[in-house]
Amino acid sequence: MTKALISAEGLAKRFPQGQGQPPLTVFENLWFEIAHGEFACIIGHSGCGKSTILNALAGLDTASEGNIIVGGKHVEGPSLDRAVIFQGNALMPWLSALGNVELAVSSRHKDWSRAEVREHAMKYLDLVHLNGSELKKPSQLSGGMKQRVGIARALSIEPQILLMDEPFSALDALTRGSLQDEVLSVRAKTKQTIFMITHDVDEAMLLADKILLMTNGPKARIAEIVENTLPKERSRTDLHKHPNYYPLRNHMIEFLVTRSRELAGGAGAKPGELRHPPVVRPTIGGTTHVETARSSQPAESTAATDLQAGRVSAA
Ligand SMILES: Nc1ncnc2c1ncn2[C@@H]1O[C@H](COP(=O)(O)OP(=O)(O)O)[C@@H](O)[C@H]1O
Ligand SMILES: [Mg+2]
């Protein structure tokens, strides 16, 4: 039994190719779990299938093989419990910021009065600091403000899970930074479970509890799960001062530069590790490798007993 809210079990995505050719396998043997309230980021090079995975979690695409289980149920289509924030904001251009959020709120709460819908939509526009701009159309808003409307719209339906596909990648560095702060403060209030794609290592270190490292395609897979070893109360301004910052950052950069390529095409895949990719904790003292076969751990397992029993070892 697992306590995960989201389980991806043996996902694969294959596309048919020309006659006589084997199908193109974008990814296969993809396994991961995300716990209630966890913030997981996935990092991997372009084309390895990250957006396909996110869309499958959203119920907007399907995997060729495998199962996605959310809250004990198979994902079979979109749900208001899983909101998506896309890279482009995907706003209705003819509606104001408020109108865009109200549309989402009224799809969730069909029995609410106009006044109730408006009040609820304004609450979420306030949360992302858009009060005062609520009557502007998307064309009158900056890129950062449009993305804020997208975030307010997704949050306003109070989904159990937030799925974000490189939500800040089209924004300048300053706007990106302030939106990252906003996501952190909103998340502190809402305690949502979040799955986010990024190609920015620093963004992942600031936001995520754990980072899924994906190999290059074809036959991409999750090669490793990196635990964020920075303190939970971290901010953009003090992140780099922590002793674990560079070990954590270097570990991920090294993966993206070297190992993601070496492991492409399914190379180096150990059968026992496919289902439970290795979990690692990079710290100033070195990178420890955390045993993943949780089911075999005794209930009273602690860090000290794990160490004695060899369940936690230096990599
Ligand atoms: N209809 C299709 N036929 C063949 N390959 C496709 C098709 N649609 C998508 N792909 C391939 O699937 C891969 C994964 O795409 P995507 O999920 O967008 O990757 P990412 O988000 O990691 O950049 C890409 O390499 C793309 O070329
Ligand atoms: Mg993508």
Side-chain angles (χ1 to χ4, degrees):
M1 280 299 282
T2 169
K3 285 200 216 106
L5 175 60
I6 303 172
S7 300
E9 303 179 344
L11 301 184
K13 185 73 177 181
R14 307 188 203 280
F15 289 106
Q17 297 200 96
Q19 272 202 329
Q21 297 221 57
L24 169 75
T25 297
V26 178
F27 54 80
E28 67 179 0
N29 287 319
L30 207 102
W31 297 79
F32 63 86
E33 289 185 341
I34 301 172
H36 280 270
E38 198 167 36
F39 194 139
C41 270
I42 186 162
I43 292 194
H45 286 283
S46 192
C48 66
K50 303 179 298 295
S51 294
T52 308
I53 297 165
L54 184 134
N55 289 334
L57 292 179
L60 301 170
D61 195 352
T62 52
S64 314
E65 286 161 29
N67 297 310
I68 296 175
I69 318 279
V70 173
K73 294 197 187 101
H74 284 269
V75 167
E76 276 160 5
S79 156
L80 289 170
D81 276 326
R82 284 170 271 122
V84 188
I85 299 174
F86 296 102
Q87 183 176 356
N89 47 73
L91 300 178
M92 308 292 176
W94 60 89
L95 292 177
S96 66
L98 179 60
N100 269 281
V101 180
E102 283 178 338
L103 186 63
V105 175
S106 53
S107 68
R108 172 68 130 186
H109 301 286
K110 295 196 167 62
D111 54 333
W112 281 13
S113 69
R114 278 192 69 109
E116 284 173 310
V117 168
R118 175 144 303 185
E119 191 190 342
H120 188 81
M122 276 310 296
K123 184 175 124 192
Y124 282 93
L125 286 164
D126 279 353
L127 200 64
V128 296
H129 301 116
L130 275 177
N131 39 339
S133 301
E134 67 272 16
L135 297 179
K136 292 188 176 155
K137 299 266 170 68
S139 61
Q140 298 169 294
L141 299 171
S142 68
M145 290 164 97
K146 280 190 270 214
Q147 206 59 346
R148 282 197 162 92
V149 180
I151 294 171
R153 180 177 58 181
L155 292 173
S156 71
I157 58 172
E158 297 177 335
Q160 190 180 25
I161 297 169
L162 210 49
L163 303 166
M164 301 198 271
D165 191 347
E166 304 197 33
F168 314 127
S169 62
L171 305 173
D172 64 88
L174 281 177
T175 310
R176 171 191 291 227
S178 65
L179 272 185
Q180 287 168 344
D181 287 346
E182 230 131 86
V183 164
L184 274 182
S185 77
V186 166
R187 193 233 175 178
K189 288 186 200 126
T190 60
K191 310 267 189 293
Q192 254 138 349
T193 305
I194 304 182
F195 178 85
M196 172 168 155
I197 301 173
T198 180
H199 55 244
D200 181 338
V201 166
D202 284 289
E203 182 166 280
M205 287 166 62
L206 174 64
L207 299 178
D209 300 317
K210 73 179 181 195
I211 301 123
L212 313 177
L213 299 181
M214 219 174 150
T215 68
N216 292 5
K219 298 186 182 173
R221 63 192 162 87
I222 308 286
E224 205 172 87
I225 297 165
V226 180
E227 276 185 19
N228 195 334
T229 50
L230 296 172
K232 266 222 173 284
E233 310 70 37
R234 49 190 179 260
S235 74
R236 257 185 315 135
T237 44
D238 63 16
L239 200 66
H240 61 285
K241 295 181 192 149
H242 194 274
N244 289 346
Y245 175 80
Y246 281 106
L248 182 61
R249 192 170 195 280
N250 292 345
H251 185 87
M252 291 195 275
I253 300 276
E254 193 269 334
F255 178 87
L256 289 172
V257 172
T258 316
R259 285 196 292 142
S260 61
R261 187 162 30 88
E262 290 169 354
L263 298 172
K270 298 181 193 142
E273 285 185 359
L274 290 173
R275 202 166 169 155
H276 295 292
V279 181
V280 300
R281 305 189 78 247
T283 65
I284 184 73
T287 297
T288 52
H289 190 135
V290 183
E291 175 62 64
T292 54
R294 278 148 293 173
S295 51
S296 67
Q297 286 186 15
E300 69 280 14
S301 166
T302 63
T305 57
D306 283 351
L307 198 60
Q308 278 168 7
R311 282 188 290 269
V312 181
S313 61

